[in-house]
Amino acid sequence: MIEPRGLRAALGALPAALPAGLAAEDAARLRAGFYGPLHAAAGGESPSALYVGGRSGLEALAALHRSPTATVLVVEPDAWLRGTLADALGQHAGARVVATVAEALAAAGGRGIGFARIDAPFCDVDLLALLERQGVGHLCGLFRPDRIDPLALYRRSRDQVARSFFWREADSPLAFGGDAGPVEVEVSVVVPAYRVSAEIDRCLASLAAQEIERLEVIVVDDGSPDDTGARAAEWAARHPGRIRVLAKPNGGCASARMVGLAAARGEYVGFVDGDDWADARMFEGLYQAATLGGAEIAQCGFVEAHADGVDIPCRDAAGGDGPGGLTGLVRDVREMLVLRPTIWRRIYRRDFLLGSDIRFPEHIRRFDDLPFQFEALARAKRTAVLPDPWYFYRQGRVGQDVLARDDRLFVHFEIFDWLRARVSTWADAAIERQLLRVELNTHLWALGRIEPQFSAEYRRRAQRQLLANRVHLPPAECLAIAARMGRRAGGLMLGAAARHGWARHGEAAP
Amino acid sequence: MFDKFSATSSNWDLNSDSLSLSIVVPVFNTRAYLRQALDSLVSAPLSQVEVIIVHDGGADGSLALAVDWVRHTPMRACVIDQANAGLSAARMAGLARARGRFVGFLDSDDLADVAVLAAMAEAGEGMACDVVLCRSVVLESNTFAVSRFYDAHIWDLIMGGRRFRRVTLDQEPRLLRLEPNANPRVIRRSFLHQVGLAFPEGLLFEDMAPHVHGLARAGHVGLLNETGYWYRVGRPGKITDERSARRFDAIHSVGLAIDAAAGLSREACANLALQAVRLLYWCAQNVTNADRARFLREAIGVVRRLEPETLRLARVAYSTDERERLLLGAFATGAHRVLYDMAGRRRPAPWPWLRLAMHPEGRTVVKLGLRALARPALGAARRIGGKLRGAAHA
């Protein structure tokens, strides 16, 4: 895949004394991008490369062939291998083979290290502290998770040691890196709060207690008439720099979330409702999953917390690529599109939301999380999952949206009109099929709970909307999808077809 | 349009007779990546290479960063500041200042191995090549992991393990299947002026026509089998990720490339056809749903400007996989609906396939399509068979 400059020449001139098997492995690694994009020092009049753990010496040799004026420092504690390497590299003026990192850094003479590659046995906190003093251009190598925590390694590399880095876990497919530079706030949590004065203390206490350090909590008081805002302000006073409160005139949950999103500074953004709460591990765990996976979205499980104290955990991880399939990056995000709206158990990379203009519909007063979830998951390229039920979703509080049983449920038609208009410009047929499934699920749920006097009108409007203006799906396919979802969905769709006919569908004719 | 030096490094005015390579870096709102890109250009033989940064408008602080870098770098470097005029115009502005015998380009969010670029310029001089190309890889921005560039298998085919090749386009028509991106290459400056190589202004996918034009007119083309370019993907707001009407520029660019290919061998045109079909189909997947039908109609139109025999040769002699053969056949026969369904991942409508089967060129396409459709079914049958056998054993 990669043909690094200098490698071919180094292989051609490989001294016989060097361990050949290891050299073959090193060559294969360089060609496969095993240590990330770079393999030698980029820079300066006298570029410098540091190899901690000499291995076969091939990398050092390749770096010298790439740039003959480079300073190449090799650290090898094993005396025999050190002697062999010193003999092999000795003819190059810029090469030094030493026993300890401290010696190597002394040899570098205070100038920064352009490139450093660390072998697994050497990667620990002490080494990072040494490198931090010197500063490294590109840092890469292997680590063992029993010697250093991957997230700690990520943060340390990014914030203090190197301009760019790439780490791979020994004997594991996990690899991560970046060159984005230090971040001030890792996660911003937006808390829309409206008339939750009895519940918000528990919510903010749980956020104040989060393990993740670089967290900011933005409470948006959506014009609550009670003392929700005052309570939030107390928490903000107790945790300055971590919790702040924005007050705005009442405008609905979507508008509150948008105000919070606009004020957020974090690399990732999460949304926690003012009446719910979170396990102390939640945002540290999500941040680790997202950032080490290079994912736009990370998700955990949740708990339905009922008023009578019964907790029902939900761990619906959707097929990650980690060991056991319960963690890691989701193989097919499309499967997640039909999950019920649970936007609060995720974090979303902020530049991804802004760049794709994914937003909450401010003109729609409830269920605004359905279109947000659909768009975010459909547009994300990488989504990481964790099964742990870390978000506590309070059930049965009076005033909750999901308790509505009357014509407020008609808001669904507004939501789907809005979502369809946005999605129809770019969605392919696979996404449109999932959207149809979401619509059918939502309508069946609503028809199952709506009061009888509204039921007929709801059904009529649902059927009118279901077939209209599909981009990719002909009515027959819509019917087939519905039929596979069960008798009720099939019946609803059949009714739509019977009532509005095949003619109403607006399949774009090429 | 105005342009001015915003900064020059301390050694900018030194005698420039010995300059071997000028690297032009157009910059537009890429502050987060600019530092890494520029640092990747700091090379050991400093006297040989100059860096020309063209700040093409924008207001994200890229200019300040570039100026600061130029003031402190040991390289011979300068920053030109101009009102926003687009990538192509920025490259041209940089070229106007270039003094090296060879010139190369680096997009300000990518990385280069300057040692490779310098070696390419050296090889170009020593081996009398007007253009020298190198390999590139993909760099995933969020993980910093690397992966194969899509033309890697073509490189492997062309090089066959060699370290360097010096060819003409007639000897190696597969050159036209390599990435048309202007970046992973160096071009002799006198050659560039002599053949009037210019990037069409204000056009996306602007590299394709100059790519064909340059390789067609080069006396010799050098190929250095080393990786010199890291192409960053997955950052928000990258031009080529835009899903918009600007994808139509691709059709225009392919048209210009076909113009530039006038007089080339059939073999070369066949390879151009493959490159064009790949680009156009990728764009068809990414235009808006409302635009897709029109896009494909125009795309088919431009591909069919190539002779049927050329398209047939591309399919028979140069396609490397079934998907390519299928796409080529579909473009060649004007199977609009087939492409439309594929690009939108729609359930394929049966009648366009039937009509395609009536067409002499189309039969292969149908056969391939049926095979592609049958594969999952065969797999399922095999699985069921396996289960039945397993049950029988139990």
Side-chain angles (χ1 to χ4, degrees), chain B residues 62-226:
Chain B
S62 295
L63 179 61
L65 194 152
V67 165
D68 182 65
W69 185 86
V70 163
R71 294 231 166 94
H72 294 101
T73 186
M75 301 288 291
R76 196 188 291 251
C78 73
V79 187
I80 297 167
D81 187 23
Q82 64 174 32
N84 180 251
L87 176 63
S88 302
R91 283 179 178 163
M92 297 309 285
L95 276 183
R97 301 276 189 183
R99 299 168 298 178
R101 288 186 295 283
F102 280 79
V103 292
F105 301 95
L106 171 66
D107 284 351
S108 55
D109 55 342
D110 295 340
L111 301 180
D113 185 339
V114 70
V116 175
L117 295 183
M120 287 155 71
E122 196 183 315
E125 245 164 291
M127 303 290 137
C129 300
D130 292 322
V131 180
V132 182
L133 308 172
C134 69
R135 302 178 77 113
S136 22
V137 291
V138 173
L139 173 61
E140 169 59 50
S141 193
N142 299 312
T143 57
F144 233 55
V146 292
S147 53
R148 283 173 79 85
F149 201 66
Y150 70 83
D151 70 358
H153 63 296
I154 306 292
W155 267 93
D156 292 341
L157 283 174
I158 291 179
M159 300 310 283
R162 294 176 188 82
R163 178 200 172 97
F164 184 81
R165 275 189 78 188
R166 177 174 181 265
V167 296
T168 64
L169 186 55
D170 281 327
Q171 293 163 2
E172 190 44 271
R174 288 174 295 189
L175 286 180
L176 288 188
R177 284 198 65 193
L178 296 176
E179 162 69 3
N181 193 316
N183 297 317
R185 72 185 63 198
V186 298
I187 307 166
R188 187 186 296 278
R189 194 159 57 87
S190 60
F191 166 75
L192 200 137
H193 289 302
Q194 172 203 325
V195 299
L197 213 53
F199 300 96
E201 302 227 346
L203 194 63
L204 288 188
F205 311 101
E206 63 287 319
D207 294 344
M208 197 150 179
H211 169 70
V212 175
H213 188 70
L215 293 180
R217 294 192 179 38
H220 278 98
V221 177
L223 294 145
L224 182 62
N225 198 2
E226 287 178 357

Side-chain angles (χ1 to χ4, degrees), chain A residues 1-3 5 8 37 42 44-45 66 163 166 177 179 334 349 424-429 471-472 477 507, chain B residues 36 39 42 44 46 113 119 142-144 147-148 161 225-227 230 232 243 288-289 344-347:
Chain A
M1 176 170 76
I2 302 179
E3 286 297 330
R5 177 155 182 82
R8 198 183 276 257
E45 277 165 290
R66 174 185 174 275
R163 268 207 299 281
F166 184 78
D179 63 347
R334 294 200 166 136
R349 212 171 63 217
S424 66
T425 59
W426 55 268
D428 62 21
V471 181
H472 299 294
E477 194 178 346
E507 195 201 356
Chain B
Q36 278 74 256
D39 280 350
V42 181
L46 294 176
D113 185 339
N142 299 312
T143 57
F144 233 55
S147 53
R148 283 173 79 85
N225 198 2
E226 287 178 357
T227 301
W230 284 262
R232 190 189 290 261
R243 183 191 288 268
T288 60
N289 286 320
R345 296 173 58 144
R346 295 157 61 101
R347 186 179 292 272

Side-chain angles (χ1 to χ4, degrees), chain A residues 379 381 425-426, chain B residues 150 202-206 208 231 233-235 237-255 276-300 302 331 343:
Chain A
R379 303 209 74 158
K381 294 203 174 74
T425 59
W426 55 268
Chain B
Y150 70 83
L203 194 63
L204 288 188
F205 311 101
E206 63 287 319
M208 197 150 179
Y231 190 72
V233 300
R235 75 172 180 88
K238 200 166 165 75
I239 300 180
T240 41
D241 288 345
E242 264 177 56
R243 183 191 288 268
S244 72
R246 298 207 69 191
R247 295 270 175 187
F248 280 84
D249 282 1
I251 295 170
H252 189 52
S253 290
V254 168
V277 162
R278 190 200 65 80
L279 172 69
L280 292 172
Y281 181 70
W282 175 64
C283 286
Q285 289 176 302
N286 289 288
V287 290
T288 60
N289 286 320
D291 281 338
R292 187 168 297 121
R294 181 165 71 92
F295 181 90
L296 276 167
R297 246 191 315 277
E298 293 181 18
I300 287 172
V302 76
F331 269 97

